[in-house]
Amino acid sequence: MAVTAVRAGAAVRAGVVRTAALASMGIAAHAAVNARLLRVAPPARPVPERVSVILPVRDEAARLDGCLAALLAARDVPELEIVVYDDASTDATGRILAGWARRDGRIVPLRGAGPPPGWLGKPYACAGAAAAATGTVLVFVDADVIIAADGLARAVALLRDSGLDLVSPYPRQVAASPAERLVQPLLTWSWLALLPLRAAERSPRPSLAAAGGQFLCVDAAAYRRAGGHAGVRDQILEDIALLRAVKRFGGRGVIVDGTSLATNRMYVGWAELRDGYAKSLAAAGGSPAASAAQVGLLWWLFVLPAAAAARGSRAGLAGYLAGVAGRVVAARRTGGRSWPDAAAHPVSVGLLGYLTALSWWRRRRGTAAWKGRPVTAPPRRRGPRAGS
């Protein structure tokens, strides 16, 4: 009887591995389909409307010069303004911004003293800059993004040609250190492999929304109709929340190919990457149970087959290779490094699980912070009651 039980357990484990391998193959195939469906910006042409670039900055002295120089070199955007909102920087950001504004009148410098209760810093800076913007198209850009000379014109052309209200051109991700190369490619892979792009364009469902705040192009009227950043004032993932708001008000939007439009090195080194993901992964999950389920699913799909392959399982090997194939598809389609980085996909997924747990740990302890500020918005103060 003991032998029978052992055999039954082995059969169950083998079945679990085979199921995971088949699912991984399906995900790799879906990534290949999405790679063909991914919207690509048309060639640049003169933009016949005013474009307002919104650039929120806080302590970005090391990056601001490169970002602004690239924006000012934009071609085919004759009516361009760049509204830069300095969110109470403590370094040389303000001085650098003032120098650029003196040299080029297209730059509109604004200075804030920090977000009020109920707001997080980035939504508040974006809202303040958008309120001063005069364009019919708003392009939100982060300071760590370098836009190609034709990037703005092509992004606006894609927005108008597609008939969408919001497009999020995902920049080519630059990953240099070992930690960056392990974790950063998961961002591009996740939406290319797991998000049904065409359904996401049409569906108002919140679960079918993906956007990157690094580079986001939105019709100004649709933005204001959806409430702008005031409607997502306390959201850590304000980019996805903004797309969901646009959808709630009848708009449509989706993530698109920004590989040739911009580059982005989001984090430099392990410490910055760790803190960056620790501020946001808990918000991405929504609850500890949901985050645990998401991580568990990814481990089943991509870590379990690799572990089984190491013990000689052919099904495990097939599942591992399918995971690697999906990563290679995503990397080649979006200008990333495909080899040997893709071979470490199970390690990348394992590290993502650690960062997710760390994010929840810091949130529960109240230590989650970014650039010297907590990443949860303090509650808004209640006004005095009537008659008091």
Side-chain angles (χ1 to χ4, degrees), residues 203-223:
S203 174
R205 293 179 58 184
S207 60
L208 293 180
Q214 307 103 313
F215 187 9
L216 193 152
C217 184
V218 59
D219 176 76
Y223 171 83

Side-chain angles (χ1 to χ4, degrees), residues 179-204:
E180 295 168 65
R181 290 173 60 181
L182 278 172
V183 178
Q184 288 302 91
L186 290 178
L187 290 173
T188 306
W189 168 82
S190 63
W191 57 260
L192 192 63
L194 304 176
L195 180 71
L197 290 175
R198 286 294 178 260
E201 283 189 15
R202 298 187 296 269
S203 174

Side-chain angles (χ1 to χ4, degrees), residues 16-111:
V16 170
V17 171
R18 282 195 298 271
T19 305
L22 288 171
S24 297
M25 293 176 190
I27 290 172
H30 184 255
V33 171
N34 263 349
R36 295 180 63 87
L37 294 177
L38 188 61
R39 286 189 180 272
V40 178
R45 61 177 185 262
V47 177
E49 55 189 314
R50 188 165 180 80
V51 176
S52 297
V53 174
I54 307 298
L55 178 59
V57 294
R58 174 171 166 81
D59 294 344
E60 295 288 4
R63 292 165 165 157
L64 187 56
D65 281 329
C67 181
L68 284 177
L71 288 170
L72 291 170
R75 298 195 300 262
D76 295 315
V77 190
E79 290 294 322
L80 172 66
E81 69 174 357
I82 303 170
V83 187
V84 187
Y85 192 101
D86 178 9
D87 181 19
S89 293
T90 60
D91 63 2
T93 295
R95 177 177 56 78
I96 295 171
L97 175 58
W100 279 99
R102 284 193 299 269
R103 294 192 296 272
D104 197 307
R106 291 175 292 176
I107 295 177
V108 181
L110 302 174
R111 169 81 179 181

